[in-house]
Amino acid sequence: MRNNRTVTDRVAQLRDITAGMRQAGMALLDYDDGQTRLLLRLAPAGSAENAVLAPATQPAQALKETQEPVFSPDMGVFHTRHPSSGENGVAVGASVSKGQIMAFVDVGRIVLPVVAPVDGHVVTVRAVEGQVVGFHDVVFEMETA
């Protein structure tokens, strides 16, 4: 298992790669060296679509009218607990209030909270502990109250 520093370095490398792709006008990168497979598909600049497709992310499905997506605040490493304080996030079935911290995204020296956009309860967790998530990836689905 990789340590957090290695994962954080990889996230920084991915940011550099995506910046280079944008400068070169590339929208898709499919890299496979036999040990590592990387598929990056960039959405148009300013788009709310996922910038990085992570293999562990469940495919997007249409949400019910009463469901609300919860987005990652940045590209980084998803954590169900705060990496240093141990503060717990939430799991499927948990009731949450608007503004409540649900999980965390480690973006190097900063740990950003994933915050509930509305009151409700968690019906799906789309990211797993230690997974690299992209900016605005859907990491939870909530049923609104």
Side-chain angles (χ1 to χ4, degrees):
M1 184 170 154
R2 295 185 179 120
N3 64 33
N4 283 344
R5 181 70 183 151
T6 302
V7 173
T8 301
D9 290 344
R10 294 275 172 121
V11 170
Q13 289 173 337
L14 287 171
R15 282 193 178 133
D16 292 343
I17 291 169
T18 56
M21 289 174 64
R22 288 216 188 274
Q23 287 176 347
M26 295 173 59
L28 179 68
L29 173 69
D30 189 355
Y31 172 82
D32 187 352
D33 68 2
Q35 291 183 321
T36 302
R37 172 102 198 271
L38 175 67
L39 175 63
L40 292 175
R41 182 175 303 150
L42 299 182
S47 172
E49 294 178 32
N50 294 342
V52 177
L53 299 178
T57 300
Q58 297 175 10
Q61 299 171 355
L63 297 180
K64 295 178 185 173
E65 211 172 285
T66 58
Q67 287 184 332
E68 181 80 22
V70 181
F71 301 104
S72 171
D74 202 341
M75 180 176 170
V77 180
F78 180 83
H79 292 290
T80 55
R81 302 183 84 168
H82 191 282
S84 58
S85 74
E87 180 183 349
N88 284 327
V90 298
V92 170
S95 292
V96 295
S97 301
K98 181 178 180 177
Q100 180 179 339
I101 295 175
M102 300 178 70
F104 304 90
V105 176
D106 184 347
V107 290
R109 295 182 179 180
I110 300 172
V111 177
L112 299 173
V114 176
V115 179
V118 294
D119 294 343
H121 68 275
V122 179
V123 293
T124 306
V125 180
R126 286 191 168 194
V128 296
E129 178 66 31
Q131 175 185 346
V132 175
V133 294
F135 169 71
H136 220 247
D137 275 354
V138 176
V139 292
F140 290 97
E141 293 172 4
M142 293 178 55
E143 187 80 26
T144 56

